[in-house]
Amino acid sequence: MTIISVNLQAVKARIRAAAQSVGRDAGAARLLAVSKGWPAECVRSAFSAGQRAFGENYVQEGVAKIAALDDLDLEWHFIGPLQSNKTREVAENFDWVHSLDRIKIAQRLSAQRPSGASPLQVCIQVNVSGEDSKSGVAPAEVAALAHAIKPLPGMCLRGLMTIPEASENHELLRQRFALLRKLLEQINGAGMQLDTLSMGMSDDFEIAIAEGATILRIGSAIFGQRSKKGS
Ligand SMILES: *Cc1c(COP(=O)(O)O)cnc(C)c1O
């Protein structure tokens, strides 16, 4: 067994235990393996251990890895900041985008999604901690953006994503994740049927599971610590 497969099994066991402890199904939260900063061979190793969905933050790096792993049946999620001059590569190569926070980017992805491809699955990134430096829309703007994205062809709005501030304060993190869940409930109460809460990373995914996460984005607990440069 490789270290990656050992880590993967350990993370899955923690996910099952966390789900069980709050009365959720063991499979209620999907695992997205965040492979940014790691070579294609590490993705191959995780694939051999049963992992299918992978997350990338940087367009160039992600597209190169997708091409190198073309022989595998993988699902690719773009989770990083997205500039308008990079939307075409994302629309043509990825299955999901978690980090939408501007209608202009959504419109470009919609127009650039190849006509034969399945709809791009998208989430709106929300800035739940109110830090100026963080990307994501303010909670008060989420509903309007959701209604603007919903009718765009070539994409399917699935839900919300967030990255709270790094903190050791579990109660604070819990409140941030709870806010994302409440925002999703509000939008659904207004007539949408969104099913995705993309929240929880290596250091806080158990808290996210308790607040209803459906996709966990986990990197270092699976692949190891990234070098500072690649983080
Ligand atoms: C890097 C990253 C992750 C994974 O972080 P880890 O702490 O390594 O689990 C998840 N989501 C986003 C948006 C990231 O950039």
Side-chain angles (χ1 to χ4, degrees), residues 34 36 57 79-80 161 163 200-203 217-221 226 231:
V34 177
K36 66 175 177 202
N57 276 58
I79 62 174
M161 177 272 225
I163 313 170
M201 311 186 0
S202 292
D203 290 336
R217 306 180 314 268
I218 300 183
S220 48
R226 292 174 294 276
S231 74

Side-chain angles (χ1 to χ4, degrees), residues 189-219:
M192 290 206 190
Q193 278 149 353
L194 307 184
D195 61 7
T196 300
L197 282 172
S198 167
M199 58 188 196
M201 311 186 0
S202 292
D203 290 336
D204 57 19
F205 69 84
E206 277 125 334
I207 307 169
I209 289 171
E211 289 301 333
T214 65
I215 299 184
L216 312 167
R217 306 180 314 268
I218 300 183

Side-chain angles (χ1 to χ4, degrees), residues 18-140:
Q20 212 163 37
S21 76
V22 294
R24 299 185 65 200
D25 278 356
R30 280 182 77 199
L31 173 58
L32 178 64
V34 177
S35 47
K36 66 175 177 202
W38 296 98
E41 287 322 304
C42 293
V43 173
R44 217 171 263 286
S45 173
F47 174 84
S48 301
Q51 182 65 26
R52 293 291 177 273
F54 293 88
E56 289 286 333
N57 276 58
Y58 306 100
V59 177
Q60 236 72 14
E61 180 189 343
V63 168
K65 244 175 262 181
I66 291 169
L69 296 162
D70 198 27
D71 56 314
L72 305 181
D73 186 18
L74 302 178
E75 184 180 287
W76 289 99
H77 296 233
F78 187 78
I79 62 174
L82 183 50
Q83 264 77 52
S84 50
N85 62 347
K86 299 280 173 63
T87 52
R88 181 174 297 281
E89 283 172 289
V90 170
E92 290 178 350
N93 289 283
F94 284 83
D95 303 295
W96 281 70
V97 173
H98 292 228
S99 44
L100 273 186
D101 62 0
R102 279 177 290 159
I103 187 63
K104 183 183 163 203
I105 299 289
Q107 286 164 339
R108 291 180 65 94
L109 290 169
S110 167
Q112 293 165 344
R113 185 69 172 170
S115 54
S118 57
L120 189 62
Q121 309 294 300
V122 302
C123 292
I124 294 172
Q125 183 172 352
V126 185
N127 181 352
V128 290
S129 38
E131 298 165 284
D132 289 345
S133 59
K134 276 272 161 63
S135 30
V137 291

Side-chain angles (χ1 to χ4, degrees), residues 169-196:
N169 182 340
H170 285 199
E171 189 46 41
L172 179 77
L173 292 170
R174 198 183 171 97
Q175 286 168 17
R176 303 302 193 214
F177 293 138
L179 174 58
L180 199 72
R181 175 173 48 74
K182 284 172 196 148
L183 288 167
L184 191 86
E185 287 165 3
Q186 277 171 19
I187 293 171
N188 283 342
M192 290 206 190
Q193 278 149 353
L194 307 184
D195 61 7
T196 300

